[in-house]
Every structure is written in structure tokens, then in C-alpha cells.
Amino acid sequence: MARSHRAWRWQQKSLAGLGLLAVAACIPLAEGFDRSSRQATTMLQFINPQSVALASAMTSPLLFDTVSDFAEGVALVRLKSRLGYIDREGRLNIQIADDNVTVAADYAEGLAVAQVGAYFGYLDRQGAWAIPVQFRQAKSFSEGLAAVQGGTKYGYINSQGEWVIEPQFDLAERFVGGRALVKLGETYGYIDTAGRPAIPPTFRDAWSFSESLAVARIDKLYGYIDPSGAMVIAPSYDGAFSFSEGLARVRQGRNFGFIDTTGGMVIEPTLPFASDFAEGLAAVLIDSQWGYVDRTGEVAVTPQFAYAADFSEGLAAVQQNGRYGYITPAGDWAIDPQYSNAGPFSEGRARVQVDNGWGFIDTEGNLLSGAGFQAVD
């Protein structure tokens, strides 16, 4: 690959590179609501690849061993030892050409991270290698660049696999609004898309930008900075989370509340737990049951669920009596609880667990079915 000569020089010691990409089997979705500040790429993986035709095991409805959410028109699915991407009708859309691929991610900006052995590269929309396997770690593309680990340090490449920002960071995150969070030694700062320092690395902890504000810690307390690095919401919280729909979840002591972009407390920190706002509602835990509050803090959906996820595309997955279904913002059942597990709606489809397999439903609850895959051998 061609190399540029852009390098960012901070006057401080650098530590050995730390792992950037969390590789995880796609086992939705009953994890907690705290959205990580490190946005790891969700990936599907399998062991001992074999030459198995996907079509040979397809039944109606379409069920797979593992699935991801739809992104850029396709969803990654695994059946036995084969990976592929299906379209919204369940047809094989992208067949991965290299049988040695053991891990793959969702497409982002037309490319998907994939792993062979201990190294990563990027697949194009035909399932062939667009950027050959060569990186120790790799993240999805964002704003035309992707953070990758070359040697022991992280830098950024373009969609042709060329170094745009030379490897020099101990950790590196995706670009959001022209800023990327990077770590040098024990402190965090931000760079712009040319690799120039935008905010010096002075924070002991920091998050990526969201809605033009980013969480940053000074001493033991968290506040928010703007893209210039100015602390616009004073560090006064024991915990803080990214802004979503103009509100941010903060923790004081053991309880959660919400602030606006001026730092004004909109919902007092009295909640044992809460999620971020999505489509005007936030899932909250009250008296050991999950429900939803609106932007004023008023209860919009009475707490009654064992689990409640964020709203997406007008519906939210909730658990009641051991089964998952979907409710409307009014709290009415749109899809009765009948699944072993359930994910969010994305591009008109949601992944659901039926017995020991995973399939997809539409917003009416219809399970994707049919012959699906064409033969791949």
C-alpha cells in the first residue's frame, strides 16, 4: 500500500498497542443498556469452515444459526459453517469468495471487515477482497476512513487501503463529525480527518462525539466538551453518556437522570437505571420493572416488562413472561410476545430467535420465509 507522510507527533511516551476491535458472536440482545464509548464492530464468526451449500439446509421459514441486523440492504447470516449476506427478501446477495474467512462484520460505506486467521481485511459488495488481509485489528469505515492496527500502532486507511494517517496511536476510534478519538499513552485526544491534532490528549477518559458533544473525564468526574475541546458542561457527574435526541443520560451516585445540551437537569437523577432516548422515549427501570418515560420524565409506558429495548422504526422489543415481542410507543402490543429473543428493527426487518434458530420478521410480524438462497456450490 502507498504510504503518506502525515504523522501526528505528541510530546509524550507511547505505550504498546491495545486491542481495538471487539470480536463478538452476534447473540442479541438482552445485554444492558449502557452504550459503550468504544463502538466495537459486531461480527459473526464460526469454526472449522467446510464446503457446505447454504441452499441445501434452507427451509421455510428461513432460519439460521446466527444473524446480524440489516445494514446497507443486507444482513450477515451463518448456517453451519458458511457465511453469506442476504437481502431483505432472504435471497443470497453476497457470497464470500474466500472460504478461509472465519469472521465478518456488517457493511459500512460499501466495505465489510473480515478475518482470516489472526488478521483482518475488507470485503467489497461482491464478497471479494477489496483490501487484502494484513491488519492485526480493523474497524468499520466512517467518513471515508477506517481505523486499523499496523504493527503495534493504529492509524487510518482510505477505501483503497492506503495509509492516510500513519500508525502512531495506542487506540483509535471511528470519525464522527470530522473528529476521531485517539489514545496516546494513558490519555485521550482527538484528530481531524487529515490526522492533525484537533484536541490535545489531556483526558484520562473520553468518548466519541455525538450531536457535537463528547463525554470527557477530568479527575474523577465527567463533563462534556465541544469540537474545539472547550469544556461546555462542567465535569460534575459520576457517570455520563453520549447525547441522543438532545438529551444525555448522567449518573449521580447510583441513580440516573438526563440533562440537555446546556447542562440543565431535565429529568432528575432518581432512576435506578435508564437507557438513552430513542424516538422520543427512554427505557427506564422503576420498581424492578422496565417501562418508558418521555422527554419530560413522565411515564409514557407503564413499567411492566422484564426487559425493554430502545425504540427503532416505531417499535421496541420487550420481554414479558419469558418471551419477546414488540410494542408501539403507546405501549400496545404490535407483535405478540412469542420469541426466545429479539433485536431492533433495521431497514424494515428485525432479527428474532425461534426455537434454536434465528430469522427475520417485518413490522407486521411476518417471518421471512421461502426458498431463499440459491445454490452456492
Side-chain angles (χ1 to χ4, degrees):
M1 292 184 300
R3 284 178 174 267
S4 77
H5 296 287
R6 294 174 183 164
W8 186 26
R9 307 299 182 195
W10 292 111
Q11 299 300 315
Q12 65 177 71
K13 295 180 181 179
S14 296
L15 299 183
L18 302 176
L20 171 66
L21 180 63
V23 179
C26 187
I27 303 176
L29 238 193
E31 73 259 12
F33 281 99
D34 279 341
R35 294 178 181 171
S36 172
S37 62
R38 317 287 179 254
Q39 298 184 0
T41 303
T42 300
M43 309 184 82
L44 301 186
Q45 70 181 57
F46 63 95
I47 302 171
N48 299 326
Q50 301 173 6
S51 179
V52 176
L54 286 169
S56 66
M58 288 297 96
T59 59
S60 179
L62 289 176
L63 294 177
F64 307 94
D65 295 326
T66 320
V67 302
S68 74
D69 297 327
F70 273 87
E72 297 192 359
V74 294
L76 182 62
V77 299
R78 178 177 65 84
L79 184 67
K80 295 183 179 179
S81 59
R82 294 298 299 269
L83 285 174
Y85 293 84
I86 62 170
D87 63 21
R88 294 177 68 255
E89 304 307 317
R91 297 181 295 259
L92 180 63
N93 185 274
I94 301 171
Q95 179 182 339
I96 298 174
D98 191 341
D99 289 337
N100 295 309
V101 171
T102 56
V103 179
D106 293 338
Y107 277 87
E109 300 187 0
L111 297 172
V113 180
Q115 182 179 8
V116 173
Y119 290 86
F120 296 84
Y122 292 83
L123 301 173
D124 63 20
R125 290 290 297 204
Q126 286 70 50
W129 291 112
I131 302 173
V133 171
Q134 60 194 285
F135 307 110
R136 294 179 62 87
Q137 300 288 352
K139 300 200 75 172
S140 295
F141 273 85
S142 174
E143 300 185 11
L145 298 173
V148 297
Q149 185 184 18
T152 62
K153 299 294 182 180
Y154 292 86
Y156 292 83
I157 59 170
N158 62 20
S159 58
Q160 288 74 50
E162 301 165 333
W163 289 106
V164 175
I165 301 170
E166 294 285 336
Q168 58 199 282
F169 309 110
D170 295 306
L171 285 175
E173 293 294 335
R174 62 194 293 268
F175 275 93
V176 180
R179 297 285 186 269
L181 178 69
V182 295
K183 185 179 183 182
L184 277 168
E186 293 297 320
T187 56
Y188 293 88
Y190 299 81
I191 59 172
D192 64 19
T193 54
R196 296 182 296 255
I199 301 172
T202 58
F203 303 107
R204 300 294 291 182
D205 191 17
W207 290 26
S208 294
F209 276 89
S210 176
E211 300 185 4
S212 299
L213 293 172
V215 176
R217 177 164 69 92
I218 294 180
D219 297 326
K220 295 183 179 181
L221 296 177
Y222 291 85
Y224 294 83
I225 59 173
D226 66 16
S228 73
M231 186 67 71
V232 293
I233 299 177
S236 55
Y237 309 105
D238 298 309
F241 302 82
S242 296
F243 271 88
S244 176
E245 300 185 357
L247 297 177
R249 180 167 44 114
V250 295
R251 180 174 59 84
Q252 290 188 329
R254 300 182 64 178
N255 291 329
F256 292 82
F258 291 86
I259 61 171
D260 61 22
T261 55
T262 70
M265 190 67 71
V266 176
I267 300 175
E268 293 296 324
T270 60
L271 300 164
F273 205 80
S275 74
D276 299 325
F277 271 88
E279 299 188 1
L281 297 174
V284 296
L285 186 65
I286 300 175
D287 295 331
S288 301
Q289 295 287 303
W290 285 92
Y292 295 85
V293 296
D294 63 20
R295 293 173 58 85
T296 69
E298 293 296 318
V299 172
V301 179
T302 302
Q304 58 190 289
F305 306 110
Y307 167 82
D310 293 343
F311 274 88
S312 60
E313 300 185 3
L315 298 174
V318 296
Q319 183 191 37
Q320 193 172 73
N321 298 324
R323 290 285 170 176
Y324 289 81
Y326 293 84
I327 61 169
T328 68
D332 301 321
W333 288 107
I335 302 171
D336 291 336
Q338 58 194 286
Y339 308 111
S340 301
N341 212 328
F345 273 91
S346 177
E347 301 186 3
R349 299 284 185 267
R351 51 191 164 96
V352 294
Q353 187 177 9
V354 180
D355 298 322
N356 293 321
W358 285 88
F360 293 92
I361 59 171
D362 62 21
T363 55
E364 302 298 319
N366 300 309
L367 194 62
L368 191 63
S369 60
F373 286 91
Q374 301 296 314
V376 298
D377 282 351

